[in-house]
Amino acid sequence: VEGVENSCIAVCYANEFTKMLTYESGEIRKSLFNDNVRDYQGENIINTEIAMTIHNDPSKFILLNNGITIVCDDFKTSTKKITIKNPQIVNGCQTSHVLFYSFKKGFDISNLPLSIKIISTQDINISNQIVRGNNRQNQVLEEAFETTRPFHQRLEEFFNSFSAEPKIYYERRSKQYNYNPTIKKTHIINFRILIQSFIAMFLNKPHESHKHESRLLREFREKIFLDVQSYLPYFTASMSFFHVERLIRDEIIPRHLRSFKPHILMMMRQAIAGNLPSINSTKIIDEHCSQISEALKNPAQT
């Protein structure tokens, strides 16, 4: 296939696969799923069925499960071994986690056969097509595919680069931080909050920002999440949302104004920093955001 350097389909026993999944400390390698559309979704119906097959009828697992798809930079094969460079599990996140937790609970998976598709490509477009193609059989919404783009991966890293309190986290993938007890839910910014807050605050469209994120994505696709744009306005909109939410919870902002949060965000930006410059002019918009960030250090006074 044009753009694909190498590919293969392998069959192995699940206990061999878990060696790749697991750190020496015994924890699962979460970084393997960065390009997946979702994180582990917990003990839902589908994952419970996967676990039942593992526990009760492991020999049929390969017949009942779609297996794992790995996209990588390169791989090399020998007689019974495959060495993979920079692997990303783009399909099979749920299967991988259920296998891992079953193994941790002491279930014998050494006779459980598993099919693995391995694709080596340097083409990000092909990689994204593989993600889409392998997840179409599930109910994955369009906005979930949006967040697999490099822009959102870099935006997540941008959020993580800020260490000052309060620290907020961009939940690029569904339930990404569910299993980290040190992170409060109020500090998590999901895609819906991100896109709605940004459109209200930095496109001056609070009256439209209440729409579902998939509709906002369609209507504003030419104006948001562009590679030429700074990440700071997206972070600033998210941090502003965090503070406005806190002020409402503390009743500094009356609770009956909750439905006007988008309008409050826009008016707050205007009152602090003045007229909105072009969001595509990195230096100017960053200076604009810096004024807001300074004011947010004392949000009650703001």
Side-chain angles (χ1 to χ4, degrees):
V1 178
E2 185 177 354
V4 174
E5 285 75 40
N6 202 0
S7 62
C8 74
I9 295 176
V11 177
C12 72
Y13 287 114
N15 64 316
E16 290 296 324
F17 176 63
T18 56
K19 293 177 182 178
M20 185 182 78
L21 283 181
T22 312
Y23 286 114
E24 290 182 2
S25 63
E27 298 301 311
I28 193 167
R29 294 179 185 267
K30 282 289 187 179
S31 59
L32 286 170
F33 308 100
N34 283 343
D35 289 352
N36 208 278
V37 293
R38 296 179 294 193
D39 206 318
Y40 179 53
Q41 300 295 291
E43 295 181 358
N44 57 23
I45 294 175
I46 294 174
N47 290 341
T48 300
E49 289 180 355
I50 294 173
M52 288 177 64
T53 304
I54 293 171
H55 304 162
N56 301 328
D57 209 355
S59 63
K60 289 184 180 176
F61 189 84
I62 197 168
L63 303 178
L64 305 178
N65 187 274
N66 289 330
I68 308 294
T69 301
I70 297 174
V71 173
C72 61
D73 290 346
D74 189 22
F75 70 89
K76 292 181 172 60
T77 61
S78 59
T79 307
K80 291 185 178 181
K81 183 177 179 180
I82 298 179
T83 304
I84 307 174
K85 181 180 179 182
N86 192 23
Q88 279 292 305
I89 296 174
V90 299
N91 187 53
C93 176
Q94 308 309 309
T95 296
S96 298
H97 278 80
V98 177
L99 283 169
F100 171 78
Y101 289 122
S102 296
F103 177 72
K104 291 277 283 186
K105 290 175 182 177
F107 286 94
D108 182 9
I109 58 173
S110 61
N111 292 313
L112 187 148
L114 179 68
S115 64
I116 302 177
K117 186 190 300 180
I118 306 171
I119 302 166
S120 168
T121 180
Q122 302 288 332
D123 190 327
I124 187 64
N125 293 321
I126 290 179
S127 182
N128 285 337
Q129 288 174 346
I130 293 168
V131 172
R132 284 175 174 267
N134 279 275
N135 285 280
R136 281 301 187 191
Q137 70 272 25
N138 301 318
Q139 290 186 345
V140 179
L141 301 176
E142 188 65 26
E143 58 270 20
F145 292 118
E146 164 66 25
T147 59
T148 65
R149 290 179 51 233
F151 182 95
H152 293 274
Q153 296 179 8
R154 292 192 294 266
L155 182 61
E156 180 186 356
E157 294 170 0
F158 186 81
F159 271 63
N160 292 337
S161 70
F162 288 85
S163 57
E165 294 295 333
K167 185 170 178 58
I168 58 174
Y169 301 83
Y170 176 29
E171 187 183 60
R172 184 172 60 84
R173 298 177 295 123
S174 172
K175 299 188 178 182
Q176 185 173 348
Y177 296 106
N178 267 29
Y179 303 94
N180 189 334
T182 66
I183 299 176
K184 297 178 180 179
K185 289 189 176 181
T186 54
H187 289 243
I188 295 173
I189 304 296
N190 59 26
F191 181 73
R192 175 183 58 80
I193 293 172
L194 176 75
I195 191 172
Q196 290 180 344
S197 300
F198 181 82
I199 287 172
M201 195 169 185
F202 285 96
L203 294 187
N204 285 342
K205 299 283 186 181
H207 53 291
E208 295 188 39
S209 65
H210 67 281
K211 298 175 184 176
H212 190 275
E213 50 267 38
S214 60
R215 184 172 174 185
L216 291 174
L217 195 57
R218 289 195 304 271
E219 294 180 2
F220 293 95
R221 183 173 292 279
E222 302 302 318
K223 297 182 179 180
I224 59 177
F225 308 132
L226 305 181
D227 289 335
V228 297
Q229 292 176 342
S230 167
Y231 305 122
L232 189 56
Y234 295 92
F235 178 82
T236 303
S238 301
M239 182 62 80
S240 299
F241 172 90
F242 169 85
H243 282 297
V244 169
E245 270 285 290
R246 187 177 63 79
L247 292 172
I248 291 173
R249 287 196 305 272
D250 294 344
E251 298 189 352
I252 296 172
I253 295 176
R255 295 195 175 212
H256 69 271
L257 295 178
R258 180 179 288 275
S259 59
F260 294 98
K261 276 186 296 185
H263 298 80
I264 293 171
L265 288 172
M266 182 192 71
M267 291 187 294
M268 184 178 74
R269 182 201 55 72
Q270 184 75 23
I272 295 170
N275 291 335
L276 180 68
S278 169
I279 58 172
N280 296 330
S281 299
T282 301
K283 183 177 179 181
I284 298 174
I285 196 66
D286 280 359
E287 291 173 354
H288 192 80
C289 291
S290 295
Q291 295 180 57
I292 301 168
S293 297
E294 281 300 312
L296 288 177
K297 292 178 180 178
N298 191 354
Q301 183 177 334
T302 303

